[in-house]
Coordinates of all heavy atoms in Angstrom, one line a residue:
A521 N -5.9 -5.0 13.7 CA -5.6 -4.3 12.5 C -6.7 -3.3 12.1 O -6.5 -2.3 11.6 CB -5.3 -5.3 11.3
K522 N -8.0 -3.7 12.3 CA -9.1 -2.9 12.0 C -9.0 -1.6 12.9 O -9.2 -0.5 12.4 CB -10.4 -3.6 12.2 CG -11.7 -2.8 12.0 CD -11.9 -2.5 10.6 CE -13.2 -1.7 10.4 NZ -13.2 -0.7 9.3
A523 N -8.7 -1.7 14.2 CA -8.7 -0.5 15.0 C -7.5 0.4 14.6 O -7.6 1.6 14.6 CB -8.5 -1.0 16.5
L524 N -6.4 -0.2 14.2 CA -5.3 0.6 13.7 C -5.6 1.3 12.5 O -5.3 2.5 12.3 CB -4.0 -0.4 13.5 CG -2.8 0.3 13.1 CD1 -2.3 1.3 14.1 CD2 -1.7 -0.7 12.8
R525 N -6.3 0.6 11.5 CA -6.7 1.2 10.3 C -7.6 2.4 10.5 O -7.5 3.4 9.8 CB -7.4 0.2 9.4 CG -7.7 0.7 8.0 CD -9.1 0.3 7.6 NE -9.4 0.9 6.3 CZ -9.9 2.1 6.1 NH1 -10.2 2.9 7.1 NH2 -10.2 2.5 4.9
D526 N -8.5 2.3 11.5 CA -9.4 3.4 11.8 C -8.7 4.7 12.3 O -9.2 5.7 12.3 CB -10.5 3.0 12.8 CG -11.4 2.0 12.2 OD1 -11.5 1.9 10.9 OD2 -12.1 1.3 12.9
Q527 N -7.4 4.5 12.8 CA -6.6 5.6 13.3 C -5.8 6.4 12.2 O -5.3 7.4 12.4 CB -5.7 5.2 14.3 CG -6.3 4.6 15.6 CD -5.3 4.0 16.5 OE1 -4.1 4.3 16.5 NE2 -5.7 3.1 17.3
I528 N -5.8 5.8 11.0 CA -5.0 6.3 9.9 C -5.8 7.2 9.0 O -6.8 6.8 8.4 CB -4.4 5.2 9.1 CG1 -3.5 4.3 10.0 CG2 -3.6 5.7 7.9 CD1 -3.0 3.0 9.3
D529 N -5.4 8.5 9.0 CA -6.2 9.5 8.1 C -5.4 9.9 6.9 O -5.9 10.4 6.0 CB -6.5 10.7 9.0 CG -7.6 10.4 10.0 OD1 -8.5 9.6 9.7 OD2 -7.5 10.9 11.1
D530 N -4.0 9.8 7.0 CA -3.2 10.3 5.9 C -1.9 9.6 5.9 O -1.6 8.7 6.7 CB -3.0 11.8 6.0 CG -2.3 12.3 7.3 OD1 -1.5 11.5 7.9 OD2 -2.7 13.4 7.8
V531 N -1.0 9.9 5.0 CA 0.3 9.2 4.8 C 1.2 9.4 6.0 O 1.9 8.4 6.4 CB 1.0 9.7 3.5 CG1 1.5 11.1 3.6 CG2 2.1 8.8 3.1
D532 N 1.1 10.5 6.8 CA 1.9 10.6 8.0 C 1.4 9.7 9.1 O 2.2 9.1 9.8 CB 1.9 12.1 8.5 CG 2.6 13.0 7.5 OD1 3.5 12.6 6.8 OD2 2.2 14.2 7.5
D533 N 0.1 9.5 9.2 CA -0.4 8.5 10.2 C 0.0 7.1 9.8 O 0.3 6.3 10.6 CB -2.0 8.6 10.2 CG -2.5 9.9 10.8 OD1 -1.8 10.6 11.5 OD2 -3.7 10.1 10.6
F534 N -0.1 6.8 8.5 CA 0.3 5.5 8.0 C 1.8 5.2 8.3 O 2.1 4.1 8.8 CB 0.0 5.3 6.5 CG 0.2 3.9 6.0 CD1 -0.8 3.1 6.0 CD2 1.5 3.5 5.5 CE1 -0.7 1.7 5.6 CE2 1.6 2.2 5.1 CZ 0.6 1.3 5.1
A535 N 2.6 6.1 8.0 CA 4.1 6.0 8.3 C 4.3 5.8 9.8 O 5.1 4.9 10.2 CB 4.8 7.2 7.8
K536 N 3.7 6.6 10.6 CA 3.9 6.4 12.1 C 3.4 5.1 12.5 O 4.1 4.4 13.3 CB 3.1 7.5 12.8 CG 3.3 7.5 14.3 CD 2.6 8.6 15.0 CE 2.8 8.6 16.5 NZ 3.0 7.4 17.2
A537 N 2.2 4.6 12.1 CA 1.7 3.3 12.5 C 2.6 2.2 12.0 O 2.9 1.3 12.8 CB 0.3 3.1 11.9
A538 N 3.1 2.3 10.8 CA 4.0 1.3 10.3 C 5.3 1.2 11.1 O 5.8 0.1 11.5 CB 4.4 1.5 8.8
K539 N 5.8 2.4 11.5 CA 7.0 2.4 12.3 C 6.8 1.9 13.7 O 7.5 1.0 14.2 CB 7.6 3.8 12.4 CG 8.9 3.9 13.0 CD 9.5 5.3 12.9 CE 10.9 5.3 13.5 NZ 11.6 6.5 13.3
D540 N 5.7 2.3 14.3 CA 5.3 1.9 15.7 C 5.0 0.4 15.7 O 5.4 -0.3 16.7 CB 4.1 2.6 16.2 CG 4.5 4.1 16.5 OD1 5.6 4.5 16.4 OD2 3.5 4.9 16.7
E541 N 4.3 -0.1 14.8 CA 3.9 -1.5 14.8 C 4.9 -2.5 14.3 O 4.9 -3.7 14.8 CB 2.6 -1.7 14.0 CG 1.4 -1.0 14.5 CD 0.9 -1.5 15.8 OE1 0.8 -2.8 16.0 OE2 0.6 -0.7 16.7
T542 N 5.8 -2.1 13.4 CA 6.8 -3.1 12.8 C 8.2 -2.7 13.1 O 9.1 -3.5 12.8 CB 6.5 -3.2 11.3 OG1 6.9 -1.9 10.7 CG2 5.1 -3.5 11.0
G543 N 8.5 -1.5 13.5 CA 9.8 -1.0 13.6 C 10.5 -0.6 12.3 O 11.7 -0.4 12.2
D544 N 9.7 -0.5 11.3 CA 10.2 -0.2 9.9 C 10.5 1.3 9.9 O 9.6 2.2 9.9 CB 9.1 -0.5 8.9 CG 9.5 -0.1 7.5 OD1 10.7 0.2 7.2 OD2 8.6 -0.2 6.6
D545 N 11.8 1.6 9.7 CA 12.3 3.0 9.7 C 11.8 3.7 8.4 O 11.8 5.0 8.4 CB 13.8 3.1 9.7 CG 14.3 2.7 11.1 OD1 13.6 2.8 12.1 OD2 15.5 2.3 11.2
E546 N 11.4 3.0 7.4 CA 10.9 3.6 6.2 C 9.4 4.0 6.3 O 8.8 4.5 5.3 CB 11.1 2.7 5.0 CG 12.6 2.4 4.7 CD 13.4 3.7 4.3 OE1 12.8 4.5 3.6 OE2 14.5 3.8 4.8
G547 N 8.8 3.6 7.4 CA 7.3 3.9 7.6 C 6.4 3.2 6.6 O 5.4 3.6 6.3
G548 N 6.9 2.0 6.3 CA 6.1 1.1 5.4 C 6.1 1.5 3.9 O 5.5 0.9 3.1
D549 N 7.0 2.4 3.6 CA 7.0 2.9 2.2 C 7.8 1.8 1.3 O 8.9 1.5 1.5 CB 7.8 4.2 2.1 CG 7.7 4.8 0.7 OD1 7.3 4.1 -0.3 OD2 8.1 6.0 0.6
L550 N 7.1 1.2 0.4 CA 7.6 0.2 -0.5 C 8.0 0.8 -1.9 O 8.4 0.0 -2.8 CB 6.6 -0.9 -0.7 CG 6.2 -1.6 0.6 CD1 5.2 -2.7 0.3 CD2 7.4 -2.2 1.3
G551 N 7.8 2.1 -2.0 CA 8.0 2.7 -3.4 C 6.9 2.4 -4.3 O 5.8 2.0 -3.9
Y552 N 7.2 2.5 -5.6 CA 6.2 2.2 -6.6 C 6.2 0.8 -6.9 O 7.2 0.2 -7.2 CB 6.4 3.0 -7.9 CG 6.2 4.5 -7.7 CD1 7.2 5.4 -7.5 CD2 4.9 5.0 -7.8 CE1 7.0 6.7 -7.3 CE2 4.6 6.3 -7.6 CZ 5.7 7.2 -7.4 OH 5.4 8.5 -7.2
L553 N 5.0 0.2 -6.8 CA 4.9 -1.3 -7.1 C 3.8 -1.5 -8.1 O 2.8 -0.8 -8.1 CB 4.5 -2.0 -5.8 CG 5.5 -2.0 -4.7 CD1 5.0 -2.7 -3.5 CD2 6.8 -2.8 -5.1
D554 N 4.0 -2.5 -9.0 CA 2.9 -2.9 -9.9 C 2.1 -3.9 -9.2 O 2.6 -5.0 -8.7 CB 3.6 -3.6 -11.1 CG 2.6 -4.1 -12.1 OD1 1.4 -4.1 -11.9 OD2 3.1 -4.5 -13.2
P555 N 0.8 -3.7 -9.0 CA -0.1 -4.6 -8.3 C -0.1 -6.0 -8.9 O -0.3 -7.0 -8.2 CB -1.5 -4.0 -8.5 CG -1.3 -2.6 -8.8 CD 0.0 -2.5 -9.5
N556 N 0.3 -6.1 -10.2 CA 0.3 -7.4 -10.8 C 1.6 -8.2 -10.4 O 1.7 -9.4 -10.7 CB 0.3 -7.3 -12.4 CG -1.1 -6.7 -12.8 OD1 -2.1 -7.1 -12.3 ND2 -1.0 -5.8 -13.7
S557 N 2.5 -7.6 -9.8 CA 3.8 -8.2 -9.4 C 3.7 -8.6 -7.9 O 4.6 -9.2 -7.4 CB 5.0 -7.3 -9.6 OG 5.0 -6.2 -8.7
M558 N 2.6 -8.3 -7.3 CA 2.4 -8.6 -5.8 C 1.7 -10.0 -5.7 O 1.1 -10.5 -6.6 CB 1.6 -7.5 -5.2 CG 2.2 -6.1 -5.3 SD 1.1 -4.8 -4.8 CE 1.3 -4.9 -3.0
Q559 N 1.6 -10.5 -4.4 CA 0.8 -11.6 -4.1 C -0.6 -11.3 -4.6 O -1.1 -10.1 -4.4 CB 0.8 -12.0 -2.7 CG 2.1 -12.5 -2.2 CD 2.1 -12.9 -0.7 OE1 1.1 -12.6 0.0 NE2 3.3 -13.4 -0.2
E560 N -1.3 -12.2 -5.1 CA -2.6 -11.9 -5.7 C -3.6 -11.2 -4.8 O -4.2 -10.2 -5.2 CB -3.3 -13.2 -6.2 CG -4.5 -13.0 -7.0 CD -5.1 -14.3 -7.6 OE1 -4.5 -15.3 -7.5 OE2 -6.2 -14.2 -8.1
D561 N -3.7 -11.6 -3.6 CA -4.7 -11.0 -2.7 C -4.3 -9.5 -2.4 O -5.1 -8.7 -2.3 CB -4.9 -11.8 -1.4 CG -3.7 -12.4 -0.8 OD1 -2.6 -12.2 -1.4 OD2 -3.8 -13.1 0.2
L562 N -3.0 -9.3 -2.2 CA -2.5 -7.9 -2.0 C -2.7 -7.1 -3.2 O -3.2 -5.9 -3.2 CB -1.1 -7.9 -1.6 CG -0.7 -8.4 -0.2 CD1 0.8 -8.5 0.0 CD2 -1.3 -7.5 0.9
G563 N -2.3 -7.6 -4.4 CA -2.5 -6.9 -5.6 C -3.9 -6.5 -5.9 O -4.2 -5.4 -6.4
D564 N -4.8 -7.5 -5.7 CA -6.2 -7.2 -5.9 C -6.7 -6.1 -5.0 O -7.5 -5.2 -5.5 CB -7.1 -8.5 -5.6 CG -6.9 -9.6 -6.7 OD1 -6.3 -9.2 -7.8 OD2 -7.3 -10.7 -6.5
A565 N -6.3 -6.1 -3.8 CA -6.7 -5.0 -2.9 C -6.2 -3.6 -3.3 O -6.9 -2.6 -3.3 CB -6.2 -5.3 -1.4
V566 N -4.9 -3.6 -3.7 CA -4.3 -2.4 -4.2 C -5.0 -1.8 -5.4 O -5.3 -0.6 -5.5 CB -2.8 -2.6 -4.5 CG1 -2.2 -1.4 -5.3 CG2 -2.0 -2.8 -3.2
K567 N -5.4 -2.7 -6.3 CA -6.1 -2.2 -7.5 C -7.4 -1.5 -7.3 O -7.9 -0.7 -8.0 CB -6.4 -3.4 -8.5 CG -5.1 -4.0 -9.1 CD -5.5 -5.2 -9.9 CE -4.3 -6.0 -10.4 NZ -4.6 -7.2 -11.1
K568 N -8.0 -1.8 -6.1 CA -9.3 -1.2 -5.7 C -9.2 0.1 -5.1 O -10.2 0.9 -4.9 CB -10.1 -2.2 -4.8 CG -10.5 -3.5 -5.5 CD -11.1 -4.4 -4.5 CE -11.4 -5.8 -5.1 NZ -11.9 -6.7 -4.1
L569 N -8.0 0.5 -4.6 CA -7.8 1.7 -3.9 C -7.5 2.9 -4.8 O -6.9 2.8 -5.8 CB -6.6 1.5 -2.9 CG -6.7 0.5 -1.8 CD1 -5.4 0.3 -1.1 CD2 -7.8 0.8 -0.9
K570 N -8.0 4.0 -4.3 CA -7.7 5.3 -5.0 C -6.5 6.0 -4.2 O -6.2 5.6 -3.1 CB -8.9 6.2 -5.0 CG -10.0 5.6 -5.8 CD -11.3 6.5 -5.7 CE -12.4 5.9 -6.5 NZ -13.7 6.4 -6.1
S571 N -5.9 6.9 -4.8 CA -4.8 7.7 -4.2 C -5.3 8.2 -2.8 O -6.4 8.8 -2.7 CB -4.4 8.8 -5.1 OG -3.3 9.4 -4.5
G572 N -4.5 7.9 -1.8 CA -4.8 8.4 -0.4 C -5.7 7.4 0.4 O -5.9 7.7 1.6
E573 N -6.1 6.3 -0.2 CA -7.0 5.4 0.6 C -6.1 4.3 1.2 O -5.1 3.9 0.7 CB -8.0 4.7 -0.4 CG -9.1 5.7 -0.8 CD -10.1 5.0 -1.7 OE1 -9.8 4.0 -2.4 OE2 -11.2 5.5 -1.7
V574 N -6.6 3.8 2.3 CA -6.0 2.7 3.1 C -6.9 1.5 3.0 O -8.2 1.6 3.1 CB -5.8 3.1 4.6 CG1 -5.2 1.9 5.3 CG2 -5.0 4.3 4.7
S575 N -6.4 0.4 2.7 CA -7.1 -0.9 2.6 C -7.7 -1.3 3.9 O -7.3 -0.9 5.0 CB -6.3 -2.0 2.1 OG -5.3 -2.4 3.1
E576 N -8.7 -2.2 3.8 CA -9.2 -2.9 5.0 C -8.0 -3.9 5.3 O -7.2 -4.2 4.4 CB -10.5 -3.6 4.7 CG -11.7 -2.7 4.5 CD -12.0 -1.8 5.8 OE1 -11.9 -2.3 6.9 OE2 -12.3 -0.6 5.6
P577 N -8.0 -4.5 6.5 CA -7.0 -5.5 6.8 C -7.0 -6.7 5.7 O -8.1 -7.2 5.4 CB -7.3 -6.0 8.2 CG -8.1 -4.9 8.8 CD -8.8 -4.2 7.7
I578 N -5.8 -7.1 5.3 CA -5.7 -8.1 4.3 C -4.8 -9.2 4.9 O -3.7 -9.0 5.3 CB -4.9 -7.6 3.0 CG1 -5.6 -6.4 2.4 CG2 -4.8 -8.7 2.0 CD1 -4.7 -5.6 1.5
V579 N -5.4 -10.4 4.9 CA -4.6 -11.6 5.4 C -3.9 -12.2 4.2 O -4.5 -12.6 3.2 CB -5.5 -12.6 6.1 CG1 -4.7 -13.8 6.6 CG2 -6.3 -12.0 7.2
S580 N -2.6 -12.3 4.3 CA -1.8 -12.8 3.2 C -0.4 -13.3 3.8 O 0.2 -12.6 4.6 CB -1.5 -11.7 2.2 OG -0.7 -12.2 1.1
G581 N 0.0 -14.5 3.3 CA 1.3 -15.0 3.7 C 1.4 -15.2 5.2 O 2.5 -15.0 5.8
G582 N 0.3 -15.5 5.9 CA 0.3 -15.7 7.4 C 0.4 -14.5 8.2 O 0.6 -14.5 9.4
A583 N 0.2 -13.3 7.6 CA 0.2 -12.0 8.3 C -1.0 -11.2 7.9 O -1.6 -11.4 6.9 CB 1.5 -11.3 8.0
V584 N -1.2 -10.1 8.6 CA -2.3 -9.2 8.3 C -1.6 -7.9 7.9 O -0.7 -7.4 8.5 CB -3.2 -8.9 9.6 CG1 -4.2 -7.9 9.2 CG2 -3.8 -10.2 10.1
H585 N -2.1 -7.4 6.7 CA -1.4 -6.2 6.1 C -2.4 -5.0 6.0 O -3.6 -5.3 5.7 CB -0.9 -6.5 4.7 CG 0.0 -7.7 4.7 ND1 1.4 -7.5 4.9 CD2 -0.2 -9.0 4.5 CE1 2.0 -8.7 4.9 NE2 1.0 -9.6 4.6
L586 N -2.0 -3.8 6.1 CA -2.7 -2.6 5.7 C -1.9 -2.0 4.6 O -0.7 -2.0 4.6 CB -2.8 -1.6 6.8 CG -3.7 -2.1 8.0 CD1 -3.6 -1.0 9.1 CD2 -5.1 -2.3 7.6
V587 N -2.6 -1.6 3.5 CA -1.9 -1.0 2.4 C -2.5 0.4 2.1 O -3.7 0.5 2.2 CB -2.1 -1.9 1.1 CG1 -1.4 -1.3 -0.1 CG2 -1.6 -3.3 1.3
M588 N -1.6 1.3 1.8 CA -2.0 2.7 1.5 C -1.5 3.0 0.1 O -0.3 2.8 -0.1 CB -1.6 3.7 2.5 CG -2.0 5.1 2.1 SD -1.5 6.3 3.4 CE -2.6 7.6 3.0
V589 N -2.3 3.5 -0.8 CA -1.8 4.0 -2.1 C -1.7 5.5 -1.9 O -2.6 6.2 -1.7 CB -2.9 3.6 -3.2 CG1 -2.5 4.3 -4.5 CG2 -3.0 2.1 -3.3
E590 N -0.4 5.9 -2.1 CA -0.1 7.3 -2.0 C -0.3 8.0 -3.3 O -0.8 9.2 -3.4 CB 1.3 7.5 -1.4 CG 1.7 8.9 -1.1 CD 3.0 9.0 -0.4 OE1 3.6 8.0 0.0 OE2 3.5 10.2 -0.4
E591 N 0.2 7.4 -4.4 CA 0.1 8.0 -5.7 C 0.0 6.9 -6.7 O 0.5 5.8 -6.6 CB 1.4 8.8 -6.0 CG 1.4 9.5 -7.3 CD 2.7 10.3 -7.5 OE1 3.6 10.1 -6.7 OE2 2.7 11.0 -8.5
I592 N -0.8 7.1 -7.8 CA -0.9 6.2 -8.8 C -0.2 6.7 -10.1 O -0.5 7.8 -10.5 CB -2.4 5.9 -9.1 CG1 -3.1 5.3 -7.9 CG2 -2.6 5.0 -10.4 CD1 -4.6 5.2 -8.0
K593 N 0.6 5.9 -10.6 CA 1.3 6.2 -11.9 C 0.8 5.2 -12.9 O 0.9 4.0 -12.7 CB 2.8 6.1 -11.8 CG 3.5 7.2 -11.0 CD 5.0 7.1 -11.1 CE 5.6 8.3 -10.5 NZ 7.0 8.3 -10.7
E594 N 0.3 5.8 -14.0 CA -0.2 4.9 -15.1 C 1.0 4.3 -15.8 O 2.0 4.9 -16.1 CB -1.0 5.7 -16.1 CG -2.3 6.2 -15.5 CD -3.2 5.2 -15.0 OE1 -3.3 4.1 -15.6 OE2 -3.8 5.4 -13.9
G595 N 0.9 3.0 -16.1 CA 2.0 2.3 -16.7 C 1.9 2.4 -18.2 O 1.0 3.0 -18.8
S596 N 2.8 1.7 -18.9 CA 2.9 1.7 -20.3 C 3.2 0.4 -20.8 O 4.0 -0.3 -20.2 CB 3.9 2.8 -20.8 OG 4.1 2.6 -22.2
D597 N 2.7 0.0 -22.0 CA 3.0 -1.3 -22.6 C 4.2 -1.1 -23.5 O 4.7 -2.1 -24.1 CB 1.9 -1.9 -23.4 CG 0.7 -2.3 -22.5 OD1 1.0 -2.5 -21.3 OD2 -0.4 -2.3 -23.0
E598 N 4.7 0.1 -23.6 CA 5.9 0.3 -24.5 C 7.2 -0.1 -23.9 O 7.4 0.2 -22.7 CB 5.9 1.8 -24.8 CG 4.7 2.4 -25.4 CD 4.8 2.8 -26.8 OE1 5.9 2.9 -27.3 OE2 3.7 2.9 -27.5
P599 N 8.0 -0.8 -24.6 CA 9.3 -1.2 -24.0 C 10.2 0.0 -23.8 O 10.1 1.0 -24.5 CB 9.9 -2.1 -25.0 CG 9.2 -1.8 -26.3 CD 7.8 -1.3 -25.9
V600 N 11.0 -0.1 -22.8 CA 12.0 1.0 -22.5 C 13.2 0.8 -23.5 O 13.8 -0.2 -23.5 CB 12.4 1.0 -21.1 CG1 13.5 2.1 -20.8 CG2 11.2 1.2 -20.2
D601 N 13.6 1.9 -24.2 CA 14.8 1.9 -25.0 C 16.0 1.8 -24.1 O 16.1 2.5 -23.1 CB 14.9 3.1 -25.9 CG 13.8 3.1 -27.0 OD1 13.4 2.0 -27.3 OD2 13.5 4.2 -27.4
Q602 N 17.0 1.0 -24.5 CA 18.2 0.8 -23.6 C 19.4 1.2 -24.4 O 19.6 1.1 -25.5 CB 18.3 -0.6 -23.1 CG 17.1 -0.9 -22.3 CD 17.3 -2.0 -21.3 OE1 18.5 -2.4 -21.1 NE2 16.3 -2.5 -20.6

């Protein structure tokens, strides 16, 4: 995972690596996620990343993960009107 991480320079590299390594047609794109809703070790790693950064390998749930933050959207404590 460390060698693969070292090959990733941008979101296109990340998407290609995700597709090649996992067969994921979405290129590893999980959409917008709240780090507090993720497994604790993954969420903690995501919180440390800035936009465009790729994590070091994270061991979680019996697997090794690389996470890339493409964009950060600030949340709100305000309830959504329905």
Side-chain angles (χ1 to χ4, degrees):
K522 177 71 175 146
L524 181 61
R525 188 224 177 270
D526 291 342
Q527 297 174 23
I528 299 171
D529 292 320
D530 58 33
V531 69
D532 292 331
D533 290 345
F534 188 89
K536 182 178 181 332
K539 187 172 184 175
D540 291 350
E541 294 294 316
T542 68
D544 178 9
D545 289 336
E546 297 297 318
D549 188 346
L550 301 176
Y552 290 100
L553 296 174
D554 178 353
N556 296 317
S557 69
M558 303 170 79
Q559 291 179 359
E560 186 175 354
D561 41 2
L562 289 171
D564 289 347
V566 167
K567 290 176 190 177
K568 295 176 186 174
L569 296 174
K570 295 177 183 161
S571 184
E573 290 184 333
V574 178
S575 71
E576 292 299 321
I578 306 162
V579 178
S580 178
V584 179
H585 305 273
L586 293 175
V587 178
M588 179 178 199
V589 172
E590 188 174 345
E591 181 181 9
I592 298 171
K593 286 189 173 185
E594 296 300 323
S596 171
D597 293 335
E598 306 251 341
V600 176
D601 290 334
Q602 299 204 8

